[in-house]
Amino acid sequence: MVRNRALILGLAAAAWLASPTPAGADGARHSHGDLSSPQTTSYTTLKAARATGTAAVDGVSMTAAAQNTLYHCRFTSATTGFGYSWVSSSNVISFANKVMVEGEVAWTSQYREVTSGSNLQVGSNGLPNHYTGTYPTDSSTEAGQARYAPNPSSIGTSRIFANLPLNPTTSTTPTCVNGVVGILSTGAMLFDALDADGRDAVANEIFDLCEGHPETTTTYHYHHITNCFTDSTSGHSVQVGWALDGFGIYGPKGESGTTITNAELDECHGHTHSVTQADGQTKTIYHYHGNREFPYVVGCFRGSSVVSDRNLYALTNPTTGLWYTSTAGGRGYAIESNASQLFIGI
Ligand SMILES: [Zn+2]
Ligand SMILES: [Zn+2]
């Protein structure tokens, strides 16, 4: 079919391309013990302060990369938020008070990392390896009420593929973010801190117990680090994903084992020290951290080469058949099962 270019992580391709299995698609509630790390009413609040001390949801200039701001390609200032009660006058977002999307729906996540030459190829079917809430939001629940901008989208499969640099290098001039900033090893996408209208998404959008929700093309995503991953019990956080420049994204704990602050990070929300990567290698390298201060995670790209999210979405949602990316090098094969038939492409 497609010669030389039919590349998509041939290993375990049959499983990779399996259909999503919304095992709990009826939205039946399970005990909270089923969640890997449930959100609770005692969850620590997030601080949404900007360098200026004004709210993240008010018109703060983002025309240059700077600590405590998001360097965004489209929005030069954040628009006013909805003024929800869970955002205090001092810009603290209370997760104890924030409305959450109910339900515990299970999915079959397919996430892979494969090294190929000078690239790290990361792919996913876009589905998380943890429970999600019930989407579209149910109008009989609090999160489905009109005043909370109910989410009309379902969660669906995406074919996500990122051809990242295996040995990324830093640039002295950071580049702006514009939507997708990375892929987490939960299988789901990580977006930047703003919603589609330039508001602080964490303050203004309604998420489920794992801090995610689907956008209009059904891609489930987070706007900050999900709490549904297993972090280290002591010391530095584990890696939870990859940014589109090839640098790792880690949980909230710095080298001291306590939650890192923006003051300890650069304008892109990262820093450099010896760290253990997802592949087990320990090396001194730049990496991002998710924490509880705006912009929460990647605030700009520090890497000198950034995968365009246009290329990520080139693979989104084909209905059947083999798929490939014209920008990816190398060769490979894909296996897909469809009902009782198996398709193999080279
Ligand atoms: Zn969103
Ligand atoms: Zn670190």
Side-chain angles (χ1 to χ4, degrees):
M1 173 178 167
V2 179
R3 290 196 298 170
N4 300 329
R5 293 290 192 180
L7 169 66
I8 184 57
L9 315 183
L11 299 172
W16 173 279
L17 292 163
S19 301
T21 307
D26 60 353
R29 290 194 65 84
H30 302 254
S31 76
H32 273 194
D34 289 343
L35 284 169
S36 57
S37 178
Q39 184 71 273
T40 72
T41 52
S42 60
Y43 190 74
T44 314
T45 57
L46 304 191
K47 187 182 177 193
R50 297 295 189 96
T52 57
T54 56
V57 290
D58 292 334
V60 177
S61 172
M62 293 177 287
T63 53
Q67 257 184 346
N68 304 314
T69 71
L70 184 72
Y71 184 30
H72 203 282
C73 304
R74 278 184 298 142
F75 299 109
T76 55
S77 66
T79 57
T80 305
F82 295 120
Y84 289 136
S85 60
W86 52 81
V87 182
S88 77
S89 57
S90 56
N91 309 320
V92 174
I93 304 167
S94 169
F95 273 69
N97 297 328
K98 191 180 177 189
V99 170
M100 285 185 292
V101 174
E102 296 176 32
E104 290 171 12
V105 185
W107 304 90
T108 301
S109 177
Q110 302 290 345
Y111 174 87
R112 297 287 185 277
E113 296 174 5
V114 175
T115 300
S116 175
S118 62
N119 289 104
L120 173 70
Q121 297 168 340
V122 180
S124 174
N125 65 352
L127 298 174
N129 63 359
H130 54 67
Y131 287 96
T132 71
T134 303
Y135 293 100
T137 41
D138 182 346
S139 62
S140 70
T141 65
E142 189 175 18
Q145 301 305 301
R147 64 184 179 280
Y148 299 129
N151 191 328
S153 300
S154 302
I155 296 171
T157 306
S158 301
R159 301 222 167 140
I160 298 160
F161 173 80
N163 202 35
L164 303 172
L166 183 60
N167 295 301
T169 55
T170 57
S171 168
T172 51
T173 309
T175 49
C176 54
V177 301
N178 190 12
V180 180
V181 296
I183 304 173
L184 297 197
S185 52
T186 59
M189 304 287 268
L190 180 65
F191 285 19
D192 67 53
L194 299 185
D195 69 10
D197 295 314
R199 291 178 290 252
D200 179 341
V202 180
N204 287 287
E205 293 199 299
I206 311 299
F207 305 137
D208 63 19
L209 289 159
C210 289
E211 301 298 311
H213 66 170
E215 42 83 282
T216 52
T217 61
T218 75
T219 301
Y220 184 83
H221 62 278
Y222 323 98
H223 290 273
H224 64 144
I225 291 291
T226 176
N227 56 313
C228 294
F229 74 99
T230 304
D231 203 353
S232 58
T233 52
S234 63
H236 197 269
S237 279
V238 298
Q239 187 176 351
V240 291
W242 297 96
L244 297 188
D245 59 7
F247 286 119
I249 299 170
Y250 287 72
K253 294 188 294 184
E255 289 178 287
S256 66
T258 57
T259 298
I260 205 159
T261 65
N262 281 9
E264 298 172 83
L265 301 170
D266 71 3
E267 64 269 43
C268 291
H269 225 249
H271 64 175
T272 301
H273 63 78
S274 178
V275 73
T276 302
Q277 297 201 138
D279 61 6
Q281 283 193 61
T282 297
K283 54 179 160 180
T284 298
I285 190 168
Y286 186 83
H287 57 279
Y288 301 96
H289 276 277
N291 71 1
R292 294 165 179 168
E293 294 173 72
F294 191 91
Y296 310 117
V297 64
V298 182
C300 52
F301 290 115
R302 177 53 75 190
S304 52
S305 173
V306 181
V307 171
S308 163
D309 72 345
R310 192 178 296 270
N311 291 339
L312 287 175
Y313 278 95
L315 296 168
T316 300
N317 294 332
T319 51
T320 58
L322 292 164
W323 46 292
Y324 75 105
T325 174
S326 60
T327 57
R331 67 185 68 180
Y333 63 90
I335 302 172
E336 179 167 9
S337 61
N338 188 345
S340 62
Q341 293 186 298
L342 188 70
F343 299 93
I344 302 176
I346 308 293

